[in-house]
Amino acid sequence: GIYLHIPFCGRKCPYCDFNTYTGMDKRIPAYMDAVRAELGLHADTHGDGPDGGLDSVYFGGGTPSLLPPAQVNDTLVEIDRLFGLSAATELSFEVNPGTVDLERLQSYRSAGINRLSIGCQTFRPQQLLELGRNHTVDDTIQTLAQARQAGFESISIDLMYGVSGQTVQHWNGDLEMALRSGADHLSLYNLSVEEGTPFAKRREDGHLPLPPEESLRAMYLMAMERSEAHGFERYEVSNFARQGKQCAHNRLYWEGNSWLGVGAGAHGFISANGSPHFGRRWWNLRTPQDYIVAVEAGLLPEDGAEEIDLQKAITEEFLLSLRTSAGLQRSRFRARFGFDVVKLLDAHLEPLIADGVIEVSASALRITQAGVIITDYLIERLSKEFDSRGVSAIVARFSGAKRAGGHDSSYRDAR
């Protein structure tokens, strides 16, 4: 896959800690030239030619819908030339309501974009003000209608819960609007107050009253129940989709597969010898100016990198797979790392199974529907046991026997 970071925004939301910038619209042409040049540098380093093997391309931000359609078209043409697109490639594009009209959406569709992710956040005017959003509810409703009119058949909606002043009844209304909007994918996020943001300062000063824990629990349980009743399946903690409408790009992350991170502050990962989770992760220079200067000099604009070794790969597979409804696939885990995680955890799973929050079958270890609400707690609890009691010793014992992409029967037989 390819992730393209578009860092430009009309306004910085007070809860956002993403790598975004306002007042830089004039830099868009130079920035997109640099993006296409970086794609060429990656093709020289990682590419196998235009074989049409890309699963996904994702324009994220920031606000990609500030891009003129011609810039989007030129970028997709370059990606096709360098790597190859196919009819099966998911081409996702984030849109903020109020930044597009029907003509613009039709142009994005003509360029090849086939999936929209619309940052609604809420259908309540007061909550939009609380979140510092610069669009209205009418903008959202219009954008959704125009997206369908423009020919988009895959539409995702972002909603946020746990916002100051929000009640369970408010959340119920937001869900109702989203579920009846025609969207086939929902990303439902609990507001996270990140350090360094205006919201963090407000919380520190006592001016950000947030809903109590029991309300958050009720909101999430309501989301699971209501979405299921409308034909959506929860396939990850925060993501719900109708059949066949899961986000292919997100699955690359959760399953440890490769993607190029392109643009200022973007992160990328290339697996070693095709082995998921093993490999090299990097992150680009954060500011658009530094990024542009580096690429214009013919350099990959990396700001840092790390090798994902055996221990990190095991931990990441464990943490990410448990966030999905499919859970940790035992045969896949054993094939990748050489031991059965269920046997390693053993007795530490028993009380969680008895409580009905974890289930174990011959094929998988997964968090149950009853346990999803405490996913973070369960993963933290299990990962502590997982690491302290087994992984370090296993890695030390077998580090010479198995490398990324390699195989060794003694390692595969480890317990």
Side-chain angles (χ1 to χ4, degrees), residues 6-36:
I6 311 301
F8 308 108
C9 276
R11 178 192 296 178
K12 183 84 169 182
C13 298
Y15 56 85
C16 178
D17 71 337
F18 292 171
N19 185 41
T20 60
Y21 304 86
T22 60
M24 287 193 177
D25 290 12
K26 291 182 179 179
R27 288 188 180 272
I28 287 177
Y31 181 82
M32 294 307 296
D33 284 344
V35 163
R36 289 186 285 271

PDB file of all heavy atoms in Angstrom, residues 6-36:
ATOM      1  N   ILE A   6      -1.232  14.486   3.554  1.00  0.00           N
ATOM      2  CA  ILE A   6      -1.519  15.846   3.081  1.00  0.00           C
ATOM      3  C   ILE A   6      -1.705  16.710   4.336  1.00  0.00           C
ATOM      4  O   ILE A   6      -2.761  16.654   4.978  1.00  0.00           O
ATOM      5  CB  ILE A   6      -2.785  15.876   2.205  1.00  0.00           C
ATOM      6  CG1 ILE A   6      -2.737  14.773   1.140  1.00  0.00           C
ATOM      7  CG2 ILE A   6      -2.962  17.255   1.592  1.00  0.00           C
ATOM      8  CD1 ILE A   6      -1.550  14.842   0.201  1.00  0.00           C
ATOM      9  N   PRO A   7      -0.705  17.499   4.726  1.00  0.00           N
ATOM     10  CA  PRO A   7      -0.701  18.114   6.058  1.00  0.00           C
ATOM     11  C   PRO A   7      -1.453  19.434   6.166  1.00  0.00           C
ATOM     12  O   PRO A   7      -1.427  20.062   7.230  1.00  0.00           O
ATOM     13  CB  PRO A   7       0.795  18.333   6.312  1.00  0.00           C
ATOM     14  CG  PRO A   7       1.357  18.616   4.959  1.00  0.00           C
ATOM     15  CD  PRO A   7       0.567  17.750   4.010  1.00  0.00           C
ATOM     16  N   PHE A   8      -2.124  19.857   5.100  1.00  0.00           N
ATOM     17  CA  PHE A   8      -2.739  21.188   5.091  1.00  0.00           C
ATOM     18  C   PHE A   8      -4.150  21.151   5.661  1.00  0.00           C
ATOM     19  O   PHE A   8      -4.931  20.240   5.386  1.00  0.00           O
ATOM     20  CB  PHE A   8      -2.759  21.731   3.660  1.00  0.00           C
ATOM     21  CG  PHE A   8      -1.414  21.670   3.002  1.00  0.00           C
ATOM     22  CD1 PHE A   8      -1.166  20.755   1.987  1.00  0.00           C
ATOM     23  CD2 PHE A   8      -0.390  22.483   3.425  1.00  0.00           C
ATOM     24  CE1 PHE A   8       0.084  20.684   1.387  1.00  0.00           C
ATOM     25  CE2 PHE A   8       0.869  22.421   2.830  1.00  0.00           C
ATOM     26  CZ  PHE A   8       1.104  21.520   1.820  1.00  0.00           C
ATOM     27  N   CYS A   9      -4.478  22.172   6.456  1.00  0.00           N
ATOM     28  CA  CYS A   9      -5.810  22.297   7.043  1.00  0.00           C
ATOM     29  C   CYS A   9      -6.257  23.753   6.987  1.00  0.00           C
ATOM     30  O   CYS A   9      -5.429  24.671   7.031  1.00  0.00           O
ATOM     31  CB  CYS A   9      -5.816  21.836   8.506  1.00  0.00           C
ATOM     32  SG  CYS A   9      -6.005  20.056   8.723  1.00  0.00           S
ATOM     33  N   GLY A  10      -7.581  23.948   6.919  1.00  0.00           N
ATOM     34  CA  GLY A  10      -8.118  25.294   7.014  1.00  0.00           C
ATOM     35  C   GLY A  10      -8.097  25.805   8.437  1.00  0.00           C
ATOM     36  O   GLY A  10      -7.974  27.005   8.685  1.00  0.00           O
ATOM     37  N   ARG A  11      -8.223  24.880   9.387  1.00  0.00           N
ATOM     38  CA  ARG A  11      -8.210  25.219  10.807  1.00  0.00           C
ATOM     39  C   ARG A  11      -7.664  24.036  11.583  1.00  0.00           C
ATOM     40  O   ARG A  11      -7.943  22.893  11.241  1.00  0.00           O
ATOM     41  CB  ARG A  11      -9.617  25.561  11.303  1.00  0.00           C
ATOM     42  CG  ARG A  11      -9.695  25.889  12.779  1.00  0.00           C
ATOM     43  CD  ARG A  11     -11.135  25.940  13.273  1.00  0.00           C
ATOM     44  NE  ARG A  11     -11.897  27.010  12.654  1.00  0.00           N
ATOM     45  CZ  ARG A  11     -13.193  27.232  12.901  1.00  0.00           C
ATOM     46  NH1 ARG A  11     -13.845  26.420  13.724  1.00  0.00           N
ATOM     47  NH2 ARG A  11     -13.822  28.217  12.310  1.00  0.00           N
ATOM     48  N   LYS A  12      -6.906  24.302  12.620  1.00  0.00           N
ATOM     49  CA  LYS A  12      -6.371  23.239  13.474  1.00  0.00           C
ATOM     50  C   LYS A  12      -7.372  22.959  14.578  1.00  0.00           C
ATOM     51  O   LYS A  12      -7.690  23.840  15.393  1.00  0.00           O
ATOM     52  CB  LYS A  12      -5.033  23.675  14.082  1.00  0.00           C
ATOM     53  CG  LYS A  12      -4.357  22.620  14.939  1.00  0.00           C
ATOM     54  CD  LYS A  12      -3.548  21.650  14.114  1.00  0.00           C
ATOM     55  CE  LYS A  12      -2.660  20.773  15.011  1.00  0.00           C
ATOM     56  NZ  LYS A  12      -1.835  19.844  14.233  1.00  0.00           N
ATOM     57  N   CYS A  13      -7.903  21.754  14.628  1.00  0.00           N
ATOM     58  CA  CYS A  13      -8.866  21.392  15.670  1.00  0.00           C
ATOM     59  C   CYS A  13      -8.172  21.310  17.026  1.00  0.00           C
ATOM     60  O   CYS A  13      -7.021  20.842  17.106  1.00  0.00           O
ATOM     61  CB  CYS A  13      -9.527  20.060  15.332  1.00  0.00           C
ATOM     62  SG  CYS A  13     -10.479  20.095  13.792  1.00  0.00           S
ATOM     63  N   PRO A  14      -8.819  21.735  18.097  1.00  0.00           N
ATOM     64  CA  PRO A  14      -8.158  21.816  19.404  1.00  0.00           C
ATOM     65  C   PRO A  14      -7.808  20.478  20.036  1.00  0.00           C
ATOM     66  O   PRO A  14      -7.069  20.439  21.016  1.00  0.00           O
ATOM     67  CB  PRO A  14      -9.173  22.581  20.262  1.00  0.00           C
ATOM     68  CG  PRO A  14     -10.489  22.347  19.607  1.00  0.00           C
ATOM     69  CD  PRO A  14     -10.198  22.261  18.137  1.00  0.00           C
ATOM     70  N   TYR A  15      -8.327  19.372  19.496  1.00  0.00           N
ATOM     71  CA  TYR A  15      -8.000  18.048  20.028  1.00  0.00           C
ATOM     72  C   TYR A  15      -6.938  17.347  19.197  1.00  0.00           C
ATOM     73  O   TYR A  15      -6.454  16.270  19.561  1.00  0.00           O
ATOM     74  CB  TYR A  15      -9.255  17.156  20.066  1.00  0.00           C
ATOM     75  CG  TYR A  15      -9.930  17.006  18.725  1.00  0.00           C
ATOM     76  CD1 TYR A  15      -9.514  16.046  17.811  1.00  0.00           C
ATOM     77  CD2 TYR A  15     -10.989  17.837  18.368  1.00  0.00           C
ATOM     78  CE1 TYR A  15     -10.122  15.927  16.583  1.00  0.00           C
ATOM     79  CE2 TYR A  15     -11.604  17.721  17.129  1.00  0.00           C
ATOM     80  CZ  TYR A  15     -11.171  16.771  16.241  1.00  0.00           C
ATOM     81  OH  TYR A  15     -11.779  16.655  15.019  1.00  0.00           O
ATOM     82  N   CYS A  16      -6.534  17.937  18.066  1.00  0.00           N
ATOM     83  CA  CYS A  16      -5.705  17.245  17.081  1.00  0.00           C
ATOM     84  C   CYS A  16      -4.223  17.404  17.381  1.00  0.00           C
ATOM     85  O   CYS A  16      -3.740  18.527  17.585  1.00  0.00           O
ATOM     86  CB  CYS A  16      -6.019  17.790  15.689  1.00  0.00           C
ATOM     87  SG  CYS A  16      -5.015  17.051  14.381  1.00  0.00           S
ATOM     88  N   ASP A  17      -3.501  16.282  17.385  1.00  0.00           N
ATOM     89  CA  ASP A  17      -2.038  16.346  17.510  1.00  0.00           C
ATOM     90  C   ASP A  17      -1.364  15.765  16.270  1.00  0.00           C
ATOM     91  O   ASP A  17      -0.191  15.415  16.302  1.00  0.00           O
ATOM     92  CB  ASP A  17      -1.566  15.622  18.777  1.00  0.00           C
ATOM     93  CG  ASP A  17      -1.705  14.107  18.683  1.00  0.00           C
ATOM     94  OD1 ASP A  17      -2.536  13.636  17.872  1.00  0.00           O
ATOM     95  OD2 ASP A  17      -0.994  13.396  19.412  1.00  0.00           O
ATOM     96  N   PHE A  18      -2.102  15.672  15.162  1.00  0.00           N
ATOM     97  CA  PHE A  18      -1.525  15.190  13.914  1.00  0.00           C
ATOM     98  C   PHE A  18      -0.558  16.234  13.355  1.00  0.00           C
ATOM     99  O   PHE A  18      -0.591  17.406  13.737  1.00  0.00           O
ATOM    100  CB  PHE A  18      -2.616  14.903  12.878  1.00  0.00           C
ATOM    101  CG  PHE A  18      -3.500  13.740  13.200  1.00  0.00           C
ATOM    102  CD1 PHE A  18      -4.632  13.492  12.447  1.00  0.00           C
ATOM    103  CD2 PHE A  18      -3.219  12.886  14.250  1.00  0.00           C
ATOM    104  CE1 PHE A  18      -5.457  12.418  12.732  1.00  0.00           C
ATOM    105  CE2 PHE A  18      -4.030  11.811  14.549  1.00  0.00           C
ATOM    106  CZ  PHE A  18      -5.158  11.582  13.788  1.00  0.00           C
ATOM    107  N   ASN A  19       0.256  15.813  12.419  1.00  0.00           N
ATOM    108  CA  ASN A  19       1.219  16.703  11.778  1.00  0.00           C
ATOM    109  C   ASN A  19       0.491  17.515  10.705  1.00  0.00           C
ATOM    110  O   ASN A  19       0.472  17.154   9.529  1.00  0.00           O
ATOM    111  CB  ASN A  19       2.361  15.880  11.167  1.00  0.00           C
ATOM    112  CG  ASN A  19       3.453  16.755  10.603  1.00  0.00           C
ATOM    113  OD1 ASN A  19       3.832  17.764  11.202  1.00  0.00           O
ATOM    114  ND2 ASN A  19       3.965  16.400   9.435  1.00  0.00           N
ATOM    115  N   THR A  20      -0.121  18.631  11.117  1.00  0.00           N
ATOM    116  CA  THR A  20      -0.910  19.446  10.204  1.00  0.00           C
ATOM    117  C   THR A  20      -0.551  20.916  10.365  1.00  0.00           C
ATOM    118  O   THR A  20      -0.065  21.349  11.416  1.00  0.00           O
ATOM    119  CB  THR A  20      -2.416  19.261  10.452  1.00  0.00           C
ATOM    120  OG1 THR A  20      -2.729  19.644  11.803  1.00  0.00           O
ATOM    121  CG2 THR A  20      -2.835  17.816  10.230  1.00  0.00           C
ATOM    122  N   TYR A  21      -0.842  21.693   9.302  1.00  0.00           N
ATOM    123  CA  TYR A  21      -0.460  23.106   9.248  1.00  0.00           C
ATOM    124  C   TYR A  21      -1.567  23.910   8.582  1.00  0.00           C
ATOM    125  O   TYR A  21      -2.196  23.452   7.616  1.00  0.00           O
ATOM    126  CB  TYR A  21       0.846  23.278   8.470  1.00  0.00           C
ATOM    127  CG  TYR A  21       1.981  22.457   9.039  1.00  0.00           C
ATOM    128  CD1 TYR A  21       2.154  21.123   8.656  1.00  0.00           C
ATOM    129  CD2 TYR A  21       2.845  22.986   9.986  1.00  0.00           C
ATOM    130  CE1 TYR A  21       3.169  20.357   9.195  1.00  0.00           C
ATOM    131  CE2 TYR A  21       3.865  22.223  10.537  1.00  0.00           C
ATOM    132  CZ  TYR A  21       4.030  20.903  10.132  1.00  0.00           C
ATOM    133  OH  TYR A  21       5.023  20.137  10.684  1.00  0.00           O
ATOM    134  N   THR A  22      -1.800  25.116   9.092  1.00  0.00           N
ATOM    135  CA  THR A  22      -2.785  26.012   8.500  1.00  0.00           C
ATOM    136  C   THR A  22      -2.070  27.153   7.770  1.00  0.00           C
ATOM    137  O   THR A  22      -0.896  27.441   8.020  1.00  0.00           O
ATOM    138  CB  THR A  22      -3.707  26.590   9.582  1.00  0.00           C
ATOM    139  OG1 THR A  22      -2.910  27.326  10.536  1.00  0.00           O
ATOM    140  CG2 THR A  22      -4.463  25.482  10.300  1.00  0.00           C
ATOM    141  N   GLY A  23      -2.811  27.803   6.867  1.00  0.00           N
ATOM    142  CA  GLY A  23      -2.275  28.964   6.173  1.00  0.00           C
ATOM    143  C   GLY A  23      -1.177  28.654   5.183  1.00  0.00           C
ATOM    144  O   GLY A  23      -0.360  29.532   4.867  1.00  0.00           O
ATOM    145  N   MET A  24      -1.116  27.430   4.675  1.00  0.00           N
ATOM    146  CA  MET A  24      -0.048  27.038   3.753  1.00  0.00           C
ATOM    147  C   MET A  24      -0.574  26.606   2.390  1.00  0.00           C
ATOM    148  O   MET A  24       0.098  25.885   1.657  1.00  0.00           O
ATOM    149  CB  MET A  24       0.778  25.887   4.350  1.00  0.00           C
ATOM    150  CG  MET A  24       1.691  26.285   5.474  1.00  0.00           C
ATOM    151  SD  MET A  24       2.876  24.939   5.832  1.00  0.00           S
ATOM    152  CE  MET A  24       3.861  25.706   7.123  1.00  0.00           C
ATOM    153  N   ASP A  25      -1.756  27.068   2.018  1.00  0.00           N
ATOM    154  CA  ASP A  25      -2.345  26.623   0.755  1.00  0.00           C
ATOM    155  C   ASP A  25      -1.439  26.903  -0.446  1.00  0.00           C
ATOM    156  O   ASP A  25      -1.416  26.134  -1.420  1.00  0.00           O
ATOM    157  CB  ASP A  25      -3.694  27.305   0.537  1.00  0.00           C
ATOM    158  CG  ASP A  25      -4.746  26.803   1.520  1.00  0.00           C
ATOM    159  OD1 ASP A  25      -4.361  26.113   2.477  1.00  0.00           O
ATOM    160  OD2 ASP A  25      -5.935  27.101   1.328  1.00  0.00           O
ATOM    161  N   LYS A  26      -0.676  27.989  -0.392  1.00  0.00           N
ATOM    162  CA  LYS A  26       0.185  28.344  -1.521  1.00  0.00           C
ATOM    163  C   LYS A  26       1.320  27.337  -1.722  1.00  0.00           C
ATOM    164  O   LYS A  26       1.934  27.296  -2.797  1.00  0.00           O
ATOM    165  CB  LYS A  26       0.764  29.746  -1.312  1.00  0.00           C
ATOM    166  CG  LYS A  26      -0.283  30.858  -1.421  1.00  0.00           C
ATOM    167  CD  LYS A  26       0.351  32.233  -1.255  1.00  0.00           C
ATOM    168  CE  LYS A  26      -0.702  33.322  -1.403  1.00  0.00           C
ATOM    169  NZ  LYS A  26      -0.117  34.685  -1.233  1.00  0.00           N
ATOM    170  N   ARG A  27       1.591  26.541  -0.700  1.00  0.00           N
ATOM    171  CA  ARG A  27       2.660  25.550  -0.819  1.00  0.00           C
ATOM    172  C   ARG A  27       2.190  24.244  -1.470  1.00  0.00           C
ATOM    173  O   ARG A  27       3.009  23.357  -1.742  1.00  0.00           O
ATOM    174  CB  ARG A  27       3.242  25.228   0.556  1.00  0.00           C
ATOM    175  CG  ARG A  27       4.086  26.334   1.162  1.00  0.00           C
ATOM    176  CD  ARG A  27       4.776  25.831   2.423  1.00  0.00           C
ATOM    177  NE  ARG A  27       5.602  26.861   3.037  1.00  0.00           N
ATOM    178  CZ  ARG A  27       6.865  27.099   2.729  1.00  0.00           C
ATOM    179  NH1 ARG A  27       7.455  26.366   1.809  1.00  0.00           N
ATOM    180  NH2 ARG A  27       7.533  28.057   3.332  1.00  0.00           N
ATOM    181  N   ILE A  28       0.891  24.115  -1.698  1.00  0.00           N
ATOM    182  CA  ILE A  28       0.361  22.843  -2.197  1.00  0.00           C
ATOM    183  C   ILE A  28       1.026  22.405  -3.507  1.00  0.00           C
ATOM    184  O   ILE A  28       1.451  21.237  -3.627  1.00  0.00           O
ATOM    185  CB  ILE A  28      -1.172  22.900  -2.331  1.00  0.00           C
ATOM    186  CG1 ILE A  28      -1.817  22.865  -0.933  1.00  0.00           C
ATOM    187  CG2 ILE A  28      -1.696  21.739  -3.184  1.00  0.00           C
ATOM    188  CD1 ILE A  28      -3.335  22.991  -0.935  1.00  0.00           C
ATOM    189  N   PRO A  29       1.168  23.272  -4.520  1.00  0.00           N
ATOM    190  CA  PRO A  29       1.801  22.789  -5.771  1.00  0.00           C
ATOM    191  C   PRO A  29       3.214  22.259  -5.564  1.00  0.00           C
ATOM    192  O   PRO A  29       3.551  21.177  -6.068  1.00  0.00           O
ATOM    193  CB  PRO A  29       1.782  24.039  -6.664  1.00  0.00           C
ATOM    194  CG  PRO A  29       0.634  24.850  -6.163  1.00  0.00           C
ATOM    195  CD  PRO A  29       0.645  24.655  -4.666  1.00  0.00           C
ATOM    196  N   ALA A  30       4.047  22.999  -4.817  1.00  0.00           N
ATOM    197  CA  ALA A  30       5.421  22.537  -4.580  1.00  0.00           C
ATOM    198  C   ALA A  30       5.427  21.269  -3.745  1.00  0.00           C
ATOM    199  O   ALA A  30       6.248  20.365  -3.971  1.00  0.00           O
ATOM    200  CB  ALA A  30       6.230  23.633  -3.885  1.00  0.00           C
ATOM    201  N   TYR A  31       4.521  21.201  -2.793  1.00  0.00           N
ATOM    202  CA  TYR A  31       4.458  20.022  -1.931  1.00  0.00           C
ATOM    203  C   TYR A  31       4.087  18.778  -2.743  1.00  0.00           C
ATOM    204  O   TYR A  31       4.713  17.718  -2.601  1.00  0.00           O
ATOM    205  CB  TYR A  31       3.442  20.245  -0.812  1.00  0.00           C
ATOM    206  CG  TYR A  31       3.325  19.084   0.147  1.00  0.00           C
ATOM    207  CD1 TYR A  31       4.231  18.926   1.187  1.00  0.00           C
ATOM    208  CD2 TYR A  31       2.318  18.135   0.005  1.00  0.00           C
ATOM    209  CE1 TYR A  31       4.136  17.852   2.069  1.00  0.00           C
ATOM    210  CE2 TYR A  31       2.213  17.068   0.869  1.00  0.00           C
ATOM    211  CZ  TYR A  31       3.124  16.926   1.906  1.00  0.00           C
ATOM    212  OH  TYR A  31       3.028  15.862   2.767  1.00  0.00           O
ATOM    213  N   MET A  32       3.087  18.900  -3.602  1.00  0.00           N
ATOM    214  CA  MET A  32       2.659  17.741  -4.384  1.00  0.00           C
ATOM    215  C   MET A  32       3.706  17.347  -5.414  1.00  0.00           C
ATOM    216  O   MET A  32       3.848  16.160  -5.738  1.00  0.00           O
ATOM    217  CB  MET A  32       1.303  18.010  -5.034  1.00  0.00           C
ATOM    218  CG  MET A  32       0.163  18.158  -4.026  1.00  0.00           C
ATOM    219  SD  MET A  32       0.040  16.779  -2.847  1.00  0.00           S
ATOM    220  CE  MET A  32      -0.357  15.411  -3.939  1.00  0.00           C
ATOM    221  N   ASP A  33       4.459  18.319  -5.939  1.00  0.00           N
ATOM    222  CA  ASP A  33       5.599  17.962  -6.795  1.00  0.00           C
ATOM    223  C   ASP A  33       6.587  17.103  -6.012  1.00  0.00           C
ATOM    224  O   ASP A  33       7.133  16.117  -6.534  1.00  0.00           O
ATOM    225  CB  ASP A  33       6.304  19.228  -7.289  1.00  0.00           C
ATOM    226  CG  ASP A  33       5.546  19.944  -8.404  1.00  0.00           C
ATOM    227  OD1 ASP A  33       4.652  19.323  -9.008  1.00  0.00           O
ATOM    228  OD2 ASP A  33       5.854  21.126  -8.654  1.00  0.00           O
ATOM    229  N   ALA A  34       6.817  17.485  -4.740  1.00  0.00           N
ATOM    230  CA  ALA A  34       7.744  16.724  -3.897  1.00  0.00           C
ATOM    231  C   ALA A  34       7.196  15.329  -3.594  1.00  0.00           C
ATOM    232  O   ALA A  34       7.946  14.345  -3.570  1.00  0.00           O
ATOM    233  CB  ALA A  34       8.026  17.485  -2.605  1.00  0.00           C
ATOM    234  N   VAL A  35       5.902  15.233  -3.370  1.00  0.00           N
ATOM    235  CA  VAL A  35       5.279  13.931  -3.116  1.00  0.00           C
ATOM    236  C   VAL A  35       5.505  12.994  -4.296  1.00  0.00           C
ATOM    237  O   VAL A  35       5.885  11.824  -4.138  1.00  0.00           O
ATOM    238  CB  VAL A  35       3.770  14.103  -2.824  1.00  0.00           C
ATOM    239  CG1 VAL A  35       3.024  12.776  -2.983  1.00  0.00           C
ATOM    240  CG2 VAL A  35       3.559  14.660  -1.424  1.00  0.00           C
ATOM    241  N   ARG A  36       5.291  13.508  -5.494  1.00  0.00           N
ATOM    242  CA  ARG A  36       5.479  12.659  -6.676  1.00  0.00           C
ATOM    243  C   ARG A  36       6.956  12.310  -6.878  1.00  0.00           C
ATOM    244  O   ARG A  36       7.292  11.201  -7.311  1.00  0.00           O
ATOM    245  CB  ARG A  36       4.884  13.354  -7.899  1.00  0.00           C
ATOM    246  CG  ARG A  36       3.354  13.397  -7.870  1.00  0.00           C
ATOM    247  CD  ARG A  36       2.763  13.962  -9.145  1.00  0.00           C
ATOM    248  NE  ARG A  36       2.905  15.410  -9.222  1.00  0.00           N
ATOM    249  CZ  ARG A  36       2.028  16.289  -8.746  1.00  0.00           C
ATOM    250  NH1 ARG A  36       0.926  15.872  -8.119  1.00  0.00           N
ATOM    251  NH2 ARG A  36       2.221  17.595  -8.891  1.00  0.00           N
TER     252      ARG A  36
END
